[in-house]
Amino acid sequence: MESINYLSTYQNEYLKYLLAGDHRECSKLIQKFTAKENDFKILYEEVIRDSLYEVGKLWEMNKISVASEHLASSIVEANLNELYPSIITSEKNERTAIVTCIESEMHQIGIKMAADVLEMQGWNVHFLGANTPTHDLFTFVRAIKPNLLGVSLSIYSNMPTLEKILKISHAEFPNLRVLVGGQAFQHGGEEVIKKYPNVVFKANLKELNEYITNNLNNA
């Protein structure tokens, strides 16, 4: 119970500072958390992600403006960049991942967190970010020849674009593992994933970390 309470306190404080647009206080709170708790995945999931979900809900209910939602997202991305030097490891495992949002998808924070989890596990990660055209994505895949392709989907109506990516990957790179995730899957999409071998859905960073540890690092 104590663990839940302290995480809730941090999440409430972080959300308050996000809504106030206070980058400095958000950074100070993150530093305070990491001094107490060295598991960044807990910070990412229980504090940052959950706070950002609340921001999204407030925007959907018209309780905050688009500008406020964008500012909160900008602060979160800045905080993740501030944390990056602390999460990388010198123990590399010679495995490479490409992680990206599909074209027309502008919400890249979730896939950035996934990229960081891979970095924590010693992977070499190419983070392409938001709105990556499918043609350019596969030009990059052909050049890099990754062990894993991670794809984020936030908007359910973009599911056909994801399926296009899965079709190309299956045709050209049948042995390439493809990891998908994102809020769009709260509305369905499992039937699309099941059509293609080597495609796996993970709902959160805990599941992702366990999958990397148990299924990818020693594959």
Side-chain angles (χ1 to χ4, degrees):
M1 183 65 68
E2 181 181 354
S3 175
I4 295 174
N5 287 339
Y6 100 82
L7 286 172
S8 178
T9 298
Y10 275 103
Q11 193 261 331
N12 290 335
E13 287 291 298
Y14 190 69
L15 175 60
K16 179 180 73 173
Y17 295 135
L18 281 181
L19 293 174
D22 196 328
H23 186 173
R24 178 177 296 180
E25 289 300 322
C26 284
S27 295
K28 287 169 62 176
L29 190 69
I30 292 300
Q31 292 168 10
K32 181 180 177 182
F33 185 95
T34 55
K36 176 183 178 68
E37 173 65 67
N38 64 4
D39 189 338
F40 288 91
K41 295 181 291 297
I42 294 176
L43 171 63
Y44 279 19
E45 290 251 322
E46 306 292 342
V47 178
I48 296 177
R49 184 203 63 180
D50 287 357
S51 295
L52 203 54
Y53 279 179
E54 289 301 316
V55 170
K57 290 177 184 177
L58 291 171
W59 173 76
E60 289 175 353
M61 294 186 292
N62 293 318
K63 291 187 176 182
I64 63 172
S65 68
V66 172
S68 294
E69 188 271 338
H70 285 187
L71 178 57
S73 296
S74 177
I75 291 172
V76 168
E77 291 201 56
N79 289 156
L80 294 179
N81 289 334
E82 292 163 12
L83 289 168
Y84 181 76
S86 300
I87 65 99
I88 58 175
T89 174
S90 59
E91 298 178 5
K92 294 296 183 181
N93 62 20
E94 298 183 356
R95 295 184 179 275
T96 300
I98 296 173
V99 295
T100 186
C101 298
I102 68 172
E103 54 189 296
S104 301
E105 290 272 354
M106 305 306 297
H107 295 89
Q108 65 178 25
I109 293 175
I111 196 67
K112 176 64 171 67
M113 290 182 176
D116 285 357
V117 170
L118 283 158
E119 291 263 18
M120 293 176 203
Q121 292 265 17
W123 283 59
N124 298 296
V125 181
H126 299 278
F127 173 64
L128 305 187
N131 192 25
T132 303
T134 301
H135 175 270
D136 293 322
L137 170 61
F138 280 101
T139 297
F140 197 69
V141 170
R142 294 180 194 106
I144 299 299
K145 298 179 177 61
N147 303 100
L148 177 70
L149 173 62
V151 185
S152 174
L153 182 71
S154 298
I155 302 171
Y156 183 76
S157 60
N158 287 332
M159 191 67 67
T161 304
L162 174 64
E163 184 157 21
K164 179 181 177 182
I165 290 172
L166 299 181
K167 284 180 179 178
I168 295 172
S169 179
H170 178 63
E172 291 196 38
F173 310 98
N175 296 319
L176 175 62
R177 302 272 188 122
V178 182
L179 184 73
V180 298
Q183 287 184 279
F185 290 94
Q186 294 179 355
H187 307 288
E190 293 84 357
E191 71 283 355
V192 173
I193 297 171
K194 290 177 181 178
K195 292 180 184 179
Y196 304 94
N198 289 329
V199 178
V200 177
F201 166 72
K202 294 301 172 187
N204 54 56
L205 298 182
K206 180 181 179 181
E207 289 184 8
L208 171 61
N209 188 66
E210 290 175 353
Y211 180 72
I212 296 167
T213 301
N214 298 326
N215 300 91
L216 296 182
N217 284 344
N218 299 315

